[in-house]
Amino acid sequence: MEALGEVYRMLGAAMLTLARSMLRDRDEADDIVEEALLRIRRAASGFRGERGLRTWTLRIVANLCRDHLRRRRFSAGPPEDLDPLEAAGLRVEPVAEWDEAMDRRTVLAALERAIARLPAEQREAVVLRDRLGLSYEEVAATLGVSEGAVKSRLFRARENLKRAMAAWLET
Amino acid sequence: MDTMDPRERERDERLTRMLRAAGAEADPALWTRARARIEALERTPGPLAWLMRPVGLAGSLALFVAAAGMSSALLRALPWQQPYEVVTLTDQLLSEGSYADAEPPAANGAAPGAARDSGGMP
């Protein structure tokens, strides 16, 4: 149990960031992370460390999020008019060189809505690579696809996001 | 060699900064909840824990239904004999009456099959 607590201390923030960015619902995301911890506990004896603890853990969270999104296809999902940062339970970090004239919350809310509109496979790639800072190799191992597929998903995701955020990226 | 034009690179970097700007912190309450759930699960005896799992429960139910169906089919297929004949009181009385008509029982200790006493002197 102590080892699992250590895993949560080390990777809890990344697990929650991934689940909350993917699902945009704080309660659902927290349930997913809780379930992931249970699975990690059950599967701990099978962990061989080939892919690294972070990749292995985030893969469990990503798979649970994917299953959840598949089930959610038949429900309405979170309403569009909700503040996506508030609903997802994401906090805004101070950004260096951030244009002070920009309303950070408005911009980041628009970005979260744009991320939510991405297909799930592009969304998970962009969250893992750009939000959590994983390498291409780690993203590929987490998602169980080739590095080429990761680069292609990421390129398409970023093009979509740039289009959606054009007004704020030009300033 | 990087062929991206500087303006495009600037937009790209700005997007990356925006993406990195939101995140979540590890919530201690979530760990407390998860630990309590794990401990509760581990305190439950193995077979009971297995039964509590939805797949286990569904599997047990399916086994129960299959066993009940097979027993019922077997019971129906066996050549059953009733342990006694069901007879109404009327049937029983009528059947006893027909015995009485057929041959009255020997009286006064006479041996069965002995000649009937005519009542005359010897």
Coordinates of all heavy atoms in Angstrom, one line a residue, chain A residues 61-146:
Chain A
V61 N -4.7 4.7 -17.2 CA -5.6 5.8 -17.1 C -6.2 6.1 -18.5 O -7.4 6.3 -18.6 CB -4.9 7.1 -16.5 CG1 -5.9 8.3 -16.5 CG2 -4.4 6.9 -15.1
A62 N -5.3 6.1 -19.5 CA -5.8 6.4 -20.9 C -6.8 5.4 -21.3 O -7.8 5.7 -22.0 CB -4.6 6.5 -21.8
N63 N -6.5 4.1 -21.0 CA -7.5 3.1 -21.4 C -8.8 3.2 -20.7 O -9.9 3.0 -21.4 CB -6.9 1.7 -21.1 CG -5.8 1.3 -22.1 OD1 -5.7 1.9 -23.2 ND2 -5.0 0.3 -21.7
L64 N -8.8 3.6 -19.5 CA -10.0 3.7 -18.7 C -10.8 4.9 -19.3 O -12.0 4.9 -19.4 CB -9.8 4.0 -17.2 CG -9.4 2.7 -16.4 CD1 -8.8 3.1 -15.1 CD2 -10.6 1.8 -16.3
C65 N -10.1 6.0 -19.6 CA -10.7 7.2 -20.2 C -11.4 6.9 -21.5 O -12.5 7.3 -21.8 CB -9.7 8.3 -20.4 SG -9.2 9.1 -18.9
R66 N -10.7 6.1 -22.3 CA -11.2 5.7 -23.7 C -12.5 4.9 -23.5 O -13.5 5.1 -24.2 CB -10.2 4.9 -24.4 CG -9.8 5.4 -25.7 CD -8.8 4.6 -26.4 NE -7.4 5.0 -26.0 CZ -6.3 4.3 -26.1 NH1 -6.4 3.1 -26.8 NH2 -5.2 4.7 -25.7
D67 N -12.5 3.9 -22.6 CA -13.7 3.1 -22.3 C -14.8 4.0 -21.9 O -16.0 3.8 -22.3 CB -13.4 2.1 -21.2 CG -12.5 1.0 -21.7 OD1 -12.3 0.9 -22.9 OD2 -12.0 0.2 -20.8
H68 N -14.5 5.0 -21.0 CA -15.5 5.9 -20.5 C -16.1 6.7 -21.6 O -17.3 6.9 -21.6 CB -14.9 6.7 -19.4 CG -15.9 7.5 -18.6 ND1 -16.6 6.9 -17.6 CD2 -16.4 8.8 -18.7 CE1 -17.5 7.8 -17.1 NE2 -17.4 8.9 -17.8
L69 N -15.3 7.2 -22.4 CA -15.7 8.1 -23.5 C -16.6 7.3 -24.5 O -17.6 7.8 -25.1 CB -14.6 8.7 -24.3 CG -13.8 9.8 -23.6 CD1 -12.5 10.2 -24.3 CD2 -14.7 11.1 -23.5
R70 N -16.3 6.0 -24.7 CA -17.1 5.1 -25.6 C -18.5 5.0 -25.0 O -19.4 5.0 -25.7 CB -16.4 3.8 -25.7 CG -16.4 3.2 -27.1 CD -15.5 2.0 -27.2 NE -14.1 2.4 -27.2 CZ -13.1 1.7 -26.6 NH1 -13.4 0.6 -25.9 NH2 -11.8 2.0 -26.8
R71 N -18.6 4.8 -23.7 CA -19.9 4.7 -23.0 C -20.6 6.0 -23.1 O -21.8 6.0 -23.2 CB -19.7 4.2 -21.6 CG -19.4 2.7 -21.4 CD -19.6 2.3 -20.0 NE -18.8 3.0 -19.1 CZ -17.6 2.6 -18.7 NH1 -17.0 1.6 -19.3 NH2 -16.9 3.3 -17.8
R72 N -19.9 7.1 -23.0 CA -20.5 8.4 -22.9 C -21.1 8.9 -24.3 O -21.8 9.8 -24.3 CB -19.5 9.4 -22.4 CG -20.1 10.7 -21.8 CD -19.1 11.8 -21.9 NE -18.4 12.1 -20.7 CZ -17.5 13.0 -20.6 NH1 -17.0 13.6 -21.6 NH2 -16.9 13.2 -19.4
R73 N -20.7 8.2 -25.3 CA -21.2 8.5 -26.7 C -22.7 8.6 -26.7 O -23.3 9.3 -27.4 CB -20.8 7.5 -27.7 CG -19.7 7.8 -28.5 CD -19.5 6.9 -29.7 NE -19.9 5.5 -29.3 CZ -19.6 4.5 -30.0 NH1 -19.1 4.6 -31.2 NH2 -19.9 3.3 -29.7
F74 N -23.4 7.9 -25.8 CA -24.8 7.8 -25.8 C -25.4 8.8 -24.8 O -26.6 8.8 -24.6 CB -25.3 6.4 -25.5 CG -24.7 5.4 -26.5 CD1 -23.7 4.5 -26.1 CD2 -25.2 5.3 -27.8 CE1 -23.1 3.7 -27.0 CE2 -24.6 4.5 -28.7 CZ -23.6 3.6 -28.3
S75 N -24.6 9.6 -24.1 CA -25.1 10.6 -23.2 C -24.7 12.0 -23.7 O -23.9 12.1 -24.6 CB -24.6 10.3 -21.8 OG -23.3 10.7 -21.7
A76 N -25.3 13.0 -23.1 CA -25.1 14.3 -23.7 C -23.7 14.9 -23.4 O -23.2 15.7 -24.1 CB -26.2 15.3 -23.0
G77 N -23.1 14.4 -22.3 CA -21.8 15.0 -21.9 C -22.0 16.3 -21.2 O -23.1 16.8 -21.1
P78 N -20.9 17.0 -20.8 CA -21.0 18.2 -20.1 C -21.5 19.3 -21.1 O -21.1 19.4 -22.2 CB -19.5 18.6 -19.7 CG -18.7 17.4 -20.2 CD -19.5 16.5 -21.0
P79 N -22.4 20.2 -20.6 CA -22.9 21.3 -21.4 C -21.8 22.2 -21.9 O -20.9 22.5 -21.1 CB -23.9 22.0 -20.5 CG -24.0 21.2 -19.2 CD -22.9 20.2 -19.2
E80 N -22.0 22.8 -23.0 CA -21.0 23.7 -23.7 C -20.8 25.0 -22.9 O -19.7 25.6 -22.9 CB -21.4 24.0 -25.1 CG -20.9 23.0 -26.1 CD -19.3 23.0 -26.3 OE1 -18.8 24.1 -26.5 OE2 -18.7 22.0 -26.1
D81 N -21.9 25.5 -22.2 CA -21.8 26.8 -21.6 C -21.1 26.7 -20.2 O -20.8 27.8 -19.6 CB -23.2 27.4 -21.4 CG -24.2 26.5 -20.7 OD1 -23.8 25.3 -20.5 OD2 -25.2 27.0 -20.3
L82 N -20.7 25.6 -19.7 CA -20.0 25.5 -18.5 C -18.6 26.0 -18.7 O -18.0 25.9 -19.8 CB -19.9 24.0 -18.0 CG -21.0 23.4 -17.2 CD1 -20.6 21.9 -16.9 CD2 -21.2 24.2 -15.9
D83 N -18.0 26.6 -17.6 CA -16.6 26.9 -17.7 C -15.8 25.6 -17.8 O -15.8 24.9 -16.8 CB -16.2 27.8 -16.5 CG -14.7 28.1 -16.5 OD1 -14.0 27.6 -17.3 OD2 -14.3 28.9 -15.6
P84 N -15.1 25.3 -18.9 CA -14.5 24.0 -19.0 C -13.4 23.8 -18.0 O -13.1 22.7 -17.6 CB -14.0 24.0 -20.4 CG -14.0 25.4 -20.9 CD -14.9 26.2 -20.1
L85 N -12.7 24.9 -17.6 CA -11.6 24.7 -16.6 C -12.2 24.3 -15.3 O -11.7 23.5 -14.6 CB -10.8 26.0 -16.5 CG -10.0 26.3 -17.7 CD1 -9.5 27.8 -17.7 CD2 -8.8 25.4 -17.9
E86 N -13.3 25.0 -14.9 CA -13.9 24.8 -13.6 C -14.5 23.4 -13.6 O -14.4 22.6 -12.6 CB -15.0 25.9 -13.5 CG -15.7 25.8 -12.1 CD -14.9 26.3 -11.0 OE1 -14.1 27.2 -11.2 OE2 -15.0 25.7 -9.9
A87 N -15.2 23.0 -14.7 CA -15.9 21.7 -14.8 C -14.9 20.6 -14.7 O -15.1 19.6 -14.1 CB -16.7 21.6 -16.0
A88 N -13.8 20.8 -15.3 CA -12.8 19.7 -15.4 C -11.9 19.7 -14.1 O -11.2 18.7 -13.9 CB -11.9 19.9 -16.6
G89 N -11.9 20.8 -13.3 CA -11.1 20.9 -12.2 C -9.6 21.1 -12.5 O -8.7 20.6 -11.8
L90 N -9.4 21.8 -13.6 CA -8.0 22.1 -14.0 C -7.7 23.5 -13.5 O -8.5 24.4 -13.5 CB -7.9 22.1 -15.5 CG -8.0 20.7 -16.2 CD1 -8.2 20.8 -17.7 CD2 -6.8 19.8 -15.8
R91 N -6.4 23.7 -13.1 CA -6.0 25.0 -12.6 C -5.1 25.6 -13.6 O -4.4 24.9 -14.3 CB -5.4 25.0 -11.2 CG -4.1 24.3 -11.1 CD -3.7 24.1 -9.7 NE -2.4 23.4 -9.7 CZ -1.2 24.1 -9.6 NH1 -1.2 25.4 -9.5 NH2 -0.1 23.4 -9.6
V92 N -5.1 27.0 -13.6 CA -4.2 27.7 -14.6 C -2.9 28.0 -13.9 O -2.8 28.6 -12.8 CB -4.9 29.0 -15.0 CG1 -4.0 29.8 -16.0 CG2 -6.3 28.7 -15.6
E93 N -1.8 27.5 -14.6 CA -0.5 27.8 -14.0 C 0.0 29.2 -14.6 O -0.4 29.6 -15.7 CB 0.5 26.8 -14.6 CG 0.0 25.3 -14.5 CD 0.5 24.7 -13.2 OE1 1.3 25.3 -12.5 OE2 0.2 23.5 -13.0
P94 N 0.8 29.9 -13.8 CA 1.4 31.1 -14.4 C 2.3 30.8 -15.5 O 3.1 29.9 -15.5 CB 2.2 31.7 -13.2 CG 2.2 30.7 -12.1 CD 1.3 29.6 -12.5
V95 N 2.1 31.6 -16.6 CA 2.9 31.3 -17.8 C 3.9 32.5 -18.0 O 3.5 33.6 -18.0 CB 2.0 31.2 -19.0 CG1 2.8 30.8 -20.3 CG2 0.9 30.2 -18.8
A96 N 5.2 32.1 -18.2 CA 6.2 33.2 -18.5 C 5.9 33.8 -19.9 O 5.4 33.1 -20.8 CB 7.5 32.5 -18.6
E97 N 6.1 35.0 -20.0 CA 5.9 35.8 -21.3 C 4.5 35.8 -21.7 O 4.2 36.0 -22.9 CB 6.8 35.2 -22.4 CG 8.3 35.1 -22.1 CD 8.9 34.1 -23.1 OE1 8.5 34.0 -24.2 OE2 9.9 33.4 -22.6
W98 N 3.6 35.6 -20.8 CA 2.2 35.6 -21.2 C 1.8 37.0 -21.4 O 2.1 37.9 -20.6 CB 1.4 35.0 -20.0 CG -0.1 34.7 -20.4 CD1 -1.1 35.7 -20.3 CD2 -0.7 33.5 -20.8 NE1 -2.2 35.1 -20.7 CE2 -2.0 33.8 -21.0 CE3 -0.2 32.2 -21.0 CZ2 -2.9 32.8 -21.4 CZ3 -1.1 31.3 -21.5 CH2 -2.4 31.6 -21.7
D99 N 1.1 37.2 -22.5 CA 0.6 38.6 -22.8 C -0.4 39.0 -21.8 O -1.5 38.5 -21.7 CB 0.0 38.5 -24.2 CG -0.4 39.9 -24.7 OD1 -0.4 40.9 -23.9 OD2 -0.7 40.1 -25.9
E100 N 0.0 40.1 -21.0 CA -0.9 40.5 -19.9 C -2.2 41.1 -20.4 O -3.2 41.1 -19.6 CB -0.1 41.6 -19.1 CG 1.0 41.1 -18.3 CD 0.6 40.0 -17.3 OE1 -0.5 40.2 -16.7 OE2 1.4 39.1 -17.0
A101 N -2.3 41.5 -21.7 CA -3.5 42.1 -22.2 C -4.6 41.0 -22.4 O -5.7 41.3 -22.5 CB -3.2 42.8 -23.5
M102 N -4.1 39.7 -22.4 CA -5.0 38.6 -22.7 C -5.7 38.2 -21.4 O -5.1 38.1 -20.4 CB -4.3 37.4 -23.3 CG -4.1 37.6 -24.8 SD -3.8 36.0 -25.5 CE -2.3 35.5 -24.8
D103 N -7.0 37.9 -21.6 CA -7.7 37.4 -20.4 C -7.4 35.8 -20.4 O -7.9 35.1 -21.2 CB -9.2 37.6 -20.6 CG -10.0 37.0 -19.5 OD1 -9.4 36.3 -18.6 OD2 -11.2 37.1 -19.5
R104 N -6.5 35.5 -19.5 CA -6.0 34.1 -19.5 C -7.1 33.1 -19.4 O -7.1 32.0 -20.1 CB -5.0 33.9 -18.3 CG -3.8 34.7 -18.4 CD -3.1 34.6 -17.1 NE -2.1 35.7 -17.1 CZ -1.0 35.7 -16.3 NH1 -0.8 34.7 -15.4 NH2 -0.1 36.6 -16.4
R105 N -8.0 33.3 -18.5 CA -9.1 32.4 -18.3 C -9.9 32.2 -19.5 O -10.3 31.0 -19.8 CB -9.9 32.8 -17.1 CG -9.8 31.8 -16.0 CD -10.8 31.9 -14.9 NE -11.4 30.6 -14.6 CZ -10.8 29.5 -14.1 NH1 -9.6 29.6 -13.7 NH2 -11.5 28.4 -13.9
T106 N -10.2 33.3 -20.2 CA -11.1 33.2 -21.4 C -10.3 32.4 -22.5 O -10.9 31.5 -23.1 CB -11.4 34.6 -21.9 OG1 -11.9 35.4 -20.9 CG2 -12.4 34.6 -23.1
V107 N -9.1 32.7 -22.6 CA -8.3 32.0 -23.7 C -8.2 30.5 -23.3 O -8.4 29.7 -24.2 CB -6.8 32.6 -23.7 CG1 -6.0 31.9 -24.7 CG2 -6.9 34.1 -24.1
L108 N -7.9 30.2 -22.1 CA -7.7 28.8 -21.7 C -9.0 28.0 -21.8 O -9.0 26.9 -22.1 CB -7.0 28.7 -20.4 CG -5.5 29.1 -20.4 CD1 -4.9 29.0 -19.0 CD2 -4.7 28.3 -21.4
A109 N -10.1 28.8 -21.5 CA -11.4 28.1 -21.6 C -11.7 27.8 -23.0 O -12.2 26.7 -23.4 CB -12.5 29.0 -21.0
A110 N -11.4 28.7 -23.9 CA -11.6 28.5 -25.4 C -10.7 27.3 -25.8 O -11.1 26.5 -26.6 CB -11.2 29.7 -26.2
L111 N -9.5 27.2 -25.3 CA -8.6 26.1 -25.6 C -9.1 24.8 -25.2 O -9.1 23.8 -25.9 CB -7.2 26.4 -25.0 CG -6.1 25.3 -25.3 CD1 -5.9 25.2 -26.8 CD2 -4.8 25.7 -24.6
E112 N -9.7 24.8 -23.9 CA -10.2 23.5 -23.4 C -11.4 23.1 -24.3 O -11.6 21.9 -24.5 CB -10.7 23.7 -22.0 CG -9.6 23.7 -21.0 CD -8.6 22.6 -21.1 OE1 -9.0 21.4 -21.1 OE2 -7.4 22.9 -21.2
R113 N -12.2 24.0 -24.7 CA -13.4 23.7 -25.6 C -12.8 23.1 -26.9 O -13.4 22.1 -27.5 CB -14.2 24.9 -25.9 CG -15.1 25.3 -24.7 CD -16.3 26.1 -25.0 NE -17.0 26.5 -23.8 CZ -16.7 27.7 -23.2 NH1 -15.8 28.5 -23.7 NH2 -17.4 28.0 -22.1
A114 N -11.8 23.7 -27.4 CA -11.2 23.2 -28.7 C -10.6 21.8 -28.5 O -10.7 20.9 -29.4 CB -10.1 24.2 -29.2
I115 N -9.9 21.6 -27.4 CA -9.4 20.3 -27.1 C -10.5 19.2 -27.0 O -10.4 18.1 -27.5 CB -8.6 20.3 -25.8 CG1 -7.3 21.1 -25.9 CG2 -8.2 18.9 -25.3 CD1 -6.5 21.3 -24.6
A116 N -11.6 19.6 -26.4 CA -12.8 18.7 -26.2 C -13.4 18.3 -27.5 O -14.0 17.3 -27.6 CB -13.8 19.4 -25.3
R117 N -13.2 19.2 -28.5 CA -13.8 18.9 -29.8 C -12.9 18.0 -30.7 O -13.3 17.5 -31.7 CB -14.1 20.2 -30.6 CG -15.4 20.9 -30.1 CD -15.8 22.0 -31.1 NE -14.9 23.1 -31.2 CZ -15.0 24.2 -30.4 NH1 -15.9 24.3 -29.5 NH2 -14.1 25.1 -30.4
L118 N -11.7 17.8 -30.3 CA -10.8 16.9 -31.0 C -11.2 15.5 -30.9 O -11.8 15.1 -29.9 CB -9.3 17.0 -30.5 CG -8.6 18.3 -30.6 CD1 -7.2 18.2 -29.8 CD2 -8.3 18.7 -32.1
P119 N -11.0 14.7 -31.9 CA -11.2 13.2 -31.8 C -10.4 12.7 -30.6 O -9.3 13.2 -30.4 CB -10.7 12.6 -33.1 CG -10.7 13.8 -34.0 CD -10.4 15.0 -33.3
A120 N -10.9 11.7 -29.9 CA -10.2 11.2 -28.7 C -8.7 10.9 -28.9 O -7.9 11.2 -28.1 CB -11.0 10.0 -28.1
E121 N -8.4 10.3 -30.0 CA -7.0 9.8 -30.3 C -6.1 11.0 -30.4 O -4.9 11.0 -30.0 CB -6.9 8.9 -31.5 CG -7.5 9.5 -32.8 CD -7.3 8.5 -33.9 OE1 -7.4 7.3 -33.7 OE2 -7.1 9.0 -35.1
Q122 N -6.6 12.1 -31.0 CA -5.8 13.3 -31.1 C -5.7 14.0 -29.7 O -4.6 14.5 -29.4 CB -6.4 14.3 -32.1 CG -6.3 13.9 -33.6 CD -6.9 14.9 -34.5 OE1 -7.0 16.0 -34.2 NE2 -7.4 14.3 -35.7
R123 N -6.8 14.0 -29.0 CA -6.8 14.6 -27.7 C -5.8 14.0 -26.8 O -5.0 14.7 -26.1 CB -8.2 14.5 -27.1 CG -8.5 15.6 -26.1 CD -9.9 15.4 -25.5 NE -10.9 14.9 -26.5 CZ -12.1 14.4 -26.1 NH1 -12.4 14.2 -24.9 NH2 -12.9 14.0 -27.1
E124 N -5.8 12.6 -26.7 CA -4.9 12.0 -25.8 C -3.4 12.3 -26.2 O -2.5 12.4 -25.3 CB -5.2 10.5 -25.6 CG -5.3 9.7 -26.8 CD -5.9 8.3 -26.7 OE1 -6.5 8.0 -25.6 OE2 -5.8 7.5 -27.6
A125 N -3.2 12.3 -27.5 CA -1.8 12.6 -27.9 C -1.3 14.0 -27.5 O -0.2 14.1 -27.0 CB -1.7 12.4 -29.5
V126 N -2.2 14.9 -27.7 CA -1.8 16.3 -27.4 C -1.7 16.5 -25.9 O -0.8 17.3 -25.4 CB -2.8 17.3 -28.1 CG1 -4.0 17.7 -27.3 CG2 -2.1 18.6 -28.5
V127 N -2.5 15.9 -25.1 CA -2.4 16.0 -23.7 C -1.2 15.4 -23.1 O -0.4 16.0 -22.3 CB -3.7 15.4 -23.0 CG1 -3.5 15.4 -21.4 CG2 -4.9 16.2 -23.3
L128 N -0.9 14.2 -23.6 CA 0.3 13.5 -23.2 C 1.6 14.2 -23.6 O 2.5 14.4 -22.8 CB 0.4 12.1 -23.7 CG -0.7 11.1 -23.1 CD1 -0.8 9.8 -23.9 CD2 -0.4 10.8 -21.6
R129 N 1.6 14.7 -24.8 CA 2.9 15.3 -25.3 C 3.0 16.7 -24.9 O 4.0 17.1 -24.3 CB 2.9 15.2 -26.9 CG 3.9 16.0 -27.6 CD 5.3 15.4 -27.5 NE 6.3 16.2 -28.1 CZ 7.5 16.3 -27.7 NH1 8.0 15.6 -26.7 NH2 8.4 17.1 -28.3
D130 N 2.0 17.5 -25.1 CA 2.1 19.0 -24.9 C 1.8 19.4 -23.5 O 2.3 20.4 -23.0 CB 1.3 19.7 -25.9 CG 1.9 19.6 -27.3 OD1 3.1 19.6 -27.4 OD2 1.1 19.6 -28.3
R131 N 0.8 18.7 -22.8 CA 0.4 19.1 -21.5 C 1.3 18.4 -20.4 O 1.7 19.1 -19.5 CB -1.0 18.8 -21.3 CG -1.6 19.4 -20.0 CD -3.0 19.6 -20.0 NE -3.4 20.9 -20.6 CZ -4.6 21.3 -20.9 NH1 -5.7 20.6 -20.5 NH2 -4.9 22.5 -21.4
L132 N 1.6 17.2 -20.7 CA 2.4 16.4 -19.7 C 3.8 16.3 -20.0 O 4.6 15.9 -19.2 CB 1.8 15.0 -19.5 CG 0.4 15.0 -18.9 CD1 -0.2 13.6 -18.8 CD2 0.4 15.6 -17.5
G133 N 4.2 16.7 -21.2 CA 5.6 16.8 -21.6 C 6.3 15.4 -21.8 O 7.5 15.3 -21.7
L134 N 5.5 14.4 -22.2 CA 6.1 13.1 -22.5 C 6.8 13.1 -23.8 O 6.5 13.9 -24.7 CB 5.0 12.0 -22.6 CG 4.7 11.2 -21.3 CD1 4.1 12.1 -20.2 CD2 3.7 10.1 -21.6
S135 N 7.9 12.3 -24.0 CA 8.6 12.2 -25.3 C 7.7 11.5 -26.3 O 6.7 10.8 -25.8 CB 9.9 11.5 -25.1 OG 9.6 10.1 -24.8
Y136 N 8.0 11.6 -27.6 CA 7.2 10.8 -28.6 C 7.2 9.3 -28.2 O 6.2 8.7 -28.4 CB 7.8 11.0 -30.0 CG 7.6 12.4 -30.5 CD1 8.7 13.2 -30.8 CD2 6.3 12.9 -30.8 CE1 8.5 14.5 -31.4 CE2 6.1 14.1 -31.3 CZ 7.2 15.0 -31.6 OH 7.0 16.2 -32.1
E137 N 8.4 8.8 -27.8 CA 8.5 7.4 -27.5 C 7.6 7.0 -26.3 O 6.9 6.0 -26.4 CB 10.0 7.1 -27.1 CG 10.3 5.7 -27.0 CD 11.7 5.4 -26.5 OE1 12.5 6.4 -26.3 OE2 12.0 4.3 -26.2
E138 N 7.6 7.9 -25.3 CA 6.7 7.6 -24.2 C 5.2 7.7 -24.5 O 4.4 6.9 -24.1 CB 7.0 8.6 -23.0 CG 8.3 8.3 -22.3 CD 8.6 9.4 -21.3 OE1 8.4 10.6 -21.6 OE2 9.0 9.0 -20.2
V139 N 4.9 8.7 -25.4 CA 3.5 8.8 -25.8 C 3.1 7.5 -26.6 O 2.0 6.9 -26.4 CB 3.2 10.0 -26.7 CG1 1.8 10.1 -27.2 CG2 3.6 11.3 -25.9
A140 N 4.0 7.1 -27.5 CA 3.7 5.9 -28.3 C 3.5 4.7 -27.4 O 2.6 3.9 -27.6 CB 4.9 5.6 -29.2
A141 N 4.4 4.5 -26.4 CA 4.2 3.4 -25.4 C 3.0 3.5 -24.6 O 2.3 2.5 -24.4 CB 5.5 3.3 -24.5
T142 N 2.6 4.7 -24.2 CA 1.4 4.9 -23.4 C 0.1 4.5 -24.2 O -0.8 3.9 -23.7 CB 1.3 6.3 -22.9 OG1 2.5 6.6 -22.2 CG2 0.1 6.5 -22.1
L143 N 0.1 4.9 -25.5 CA -1.1 4.7 -26.3 C -1.0 3.4 -27.1 O -2.0 3.0 -27.7 CB -1.2 5.8 -27.3 CG -1.4 7.2 -26.7 CD1 -1.5 8.3 -27.8 CD2 -2.6 7.3 -25.8
G144 N 0.1 2.7 -27.0 CA 0.3 1.4 -27.7 C 0.2 1.6 -29.2 O -0.3 0.7 -29.9
V145 N 0.8 2.6 -29.8 CA 0.9 2.9 -31.2 C 2.3 3.2 -31.6 O 3.2 3.4 -30.7 CB -0.1 4.0 -31.7 CG1 -1.5 3.6 -31.4 CG2 0.3 5.3 -31.0
S146 N 2.6 3.3 -32.9 CA 4.0 3.7 -33.3 C 4.3 5.1 -33.1 O 3.3 5.9 -33.0 CB 4.2 3.3 -34.8 OG 3.4 4.2 -35.5

